[in-house]
Amino acid sequence: DMIAQVVRHPANDDEVFVSDLTLLSGGAAANTAYACAKIGLSTAFIGKLGCHDTFGDKILNDFKEVNVTTKLIKYSEHHGTGSAYIALNEKGDRRIYAHSGAANYLSKEDLLEKELINTKIIFLSSLKNIEPFIEAATIGRNNKIPVILNPGMLISEQGLKNIKKLLEKIDILILSQNEYATLFDIEQCDLNEDLIQEKSSTLFNLGIQVIITTLGKKGAFLLTSSRAELLPPVKLSSLIDTTGAGDAFSAGFIYGFIRNINLKFEHLKNNVEIGNFVAGNCIQELGARNGIPNREDLNFFLNALNKKI
């Protein structure tokens, strides 16, 4: 991620001054893997990078800092490591231009059953090419491993019909409000909890068991086929950068889910609250990873959460 800090976003045929330019490791699935490892989960990442180029080396080095397993990563001899160009204004609003690079050439042949069958969950995120996701989800389904999808805009904008084959193999779906609106081709300003409940019946009919829509300042909307609840976000001392908030939320949710793998609504609520906590910490620092809490901070929150329960 190349993050440019600006006073405002430019209009058409406009120019703005960049006050600071920062290079940080990114990528939605990579951010979630990093966060999972930092909060204490044994984590491996599968993706495709360029062959030892500058961006790829930085991603590997940053993974090693938190002990993410990198031996399953694939490499392309023909394409460089992907990158994203992010403009961030003073309000924390961002504009992202994503170049997938080598990541978009991850193939279903790169997904090996023997590399996946020992994991407790499979998490899939933000890759335009969904064929390897379908393969990974199929492996998960065949081996009774829960599969979580956080599609990102690159998948959501393909439309419900075009990603149906993937959704049929997913257990838990986590989307931002923009991703949800895009998936169903509705205006984001029209999206509310009632409409989410109405539209989600289509997703439940595909076999998805849990749907979570992150709604920014409103919190996260947890939905199963029989129950729904909006869970508010944590209170913030400041908001610096929303980059990676959804990735951090996913990591927190995964942490809770791993501790107690079941789909009971009360347990899912706990997992969403952990996701809100990790995301809330993330957006108080610049970049997708700098604000991720460590294991001690998370344990302190979990103790407080248990007392509340």
Side-chain angles (χ1 to χ4, degrees):
D1 288 348
M2 297 182 193
I3 304 176
Q5 292 182 268
V6 297
V7 174
R8 61 178 176 83
H9 293 302
N12 291 335
D13 196 24
D14 189 10
E15 181 178 346
V16 297
F17 176 72
V18 174
S19 59
D20 193 24
L21 189 65
T22 308
L23 177 65
L24 299 170
S25 289
N31 289 338
T32 298
Y34 182 97
C36 283
K38 187 173 180 181
I39 59 181
L41 295 178
S42 177
T43 308
F45 175 78
I46 299 178
K48 183 165 279 189
L49 305 178
C51 280
H52 305 295
D53 55 25
T54 301
F55 290 165
D57 288 345
K58 177 167 179 53
I59 287 171
L60 292 173
N61 289 333
D62 288 350
F63 272 157
K64 288 174 184 176
E65 287 182 1
V66 290
N67 297 315
V68 172
T69 297
T70 59
K71 64 182 180 181
L72 306 183
I73 291 175
K74 318 303 176 185
Y75 295 90
S76 171
E77 295 181 359
H78 306 291
H79 304 278
T81 299
S83 56
Y85 304 87
I86 302 168
L88 176 71
N89 71 10
E90 292 179 333
K91 297 179 180 179
D93 296 327
R94 59 199 168 106
R95 304 289 184 271
I96 303 175
Y97 301 87
H99 170 60
S100 295
N104 201 47
Y105 297 92
L106 185 74
S107 69
K108 65 180 183 180
E109 288 76 24
D110 289 324
L111 278 293
L112 305 178
E113 187 167 9
K114 66 181 181 180
E115 294 181 346
L116 291 174
I117 57 175
N118 292 321
T119 187
K120 289 183 178 179
I121 68 111
I122 294 171
F123 176 76
L124 310 171
S125 185
S126 200
L127 192 65
K128 187 175 180 64
N129 174 20
I130 66 171
E131 288 302 316
F133 279 7
I134 293 172
E135 181 66 19
T138 300
I139 293 171
R141 182 61 56 89
N142 291 343
N143 290 277
K144 297 181 179 179
I145 301 169
V147 180
I148 302 174
L149 173 67
N150 179 208
M153 287 300 294
L154 296 179
I155 291 178
S156 296
E157 67 184 6
Q158 295 180 44
L160 192 60
K161 181 179 178 181
N162 292 322
I163 66 169
K164 181 181 176 183
K165 190 175 179 181
L166 171 60
L167 294 176
E168 288 173 339
K169 299 180 183 298
I170 299 303
D171 299 296
I172 299 173
L173 182 63
I174 303 174
L175 311 99
S176 71
Q177 55 188 337
N178 192 22
E179 291 160 9
Y180 195 104
T182 300
L183 183 63
F184 283 96
D185 194 24
I186 57 180
E187 293 294 327
Q188 186 175 339
C189 60
D190 294 333
L191 193 66
N192 56 45
E193 292 92 302
D194 290 337
L195 187 56
I196 290 172
Q197 284 190 267
E198 177 188 332
K199 293 290 186 180
S200 291
S201 60
T202 302
L203 300 173
F204 289 127
N205 288 338
L206 295 177
I208 294 171
Q209 299 184 67
V210 180
I211 301 167
I212 302 163
T213 309
T214 54
L215 300 173
K217 295 177 181 179
K218 293 178 68 176
F221 188 50
L222 170 63
L223 190 64
T224 66
S225 59
S226 59
R227 290 185 64 181
E229 187 168 337
L230 179 65
L231 297 157
V234 296
K235 293 181 180 179
L236 303 178
S237 57
S238 62
L239 194 162
I240 303 298
D241 181 9
T242 57
T243 303
D247 309 330
F249 174 89
S250 294
F253 179 88
I254 290 168
Y255 184 90
F257 189 64
I258 288 290
R259 292 167 75 231
N260 193 342
I261 297 180
N262 71 67
L263 299 177
K264 292 180 180 179
F265 198 83
E266 293 304 317
H267 289 297
L268 293 170
K269 282 175 58 177
N270 281 357
N271 303 343
V272 170
E273 291 203 61
I274 298 170
N276 282 341
F277 172 76
V278 178
N281 278 261
C282 173
I283 63 179
Q284 294 181 75
E285 299 285 345
L286 181 67
R289 303 184 182 182
N290 290 326
I292 301 298
N294 58 34
R295 192 166 188 170
E296 289 182 0
D297 293 333
L298 182 56
N299 285 336
F300 183 82
F301 171 77
L302 291 174
N303 288 334
L305 184 63
N306 289 334
K307 288 178 183 177
K308 187 178 73 172
I309 295 167

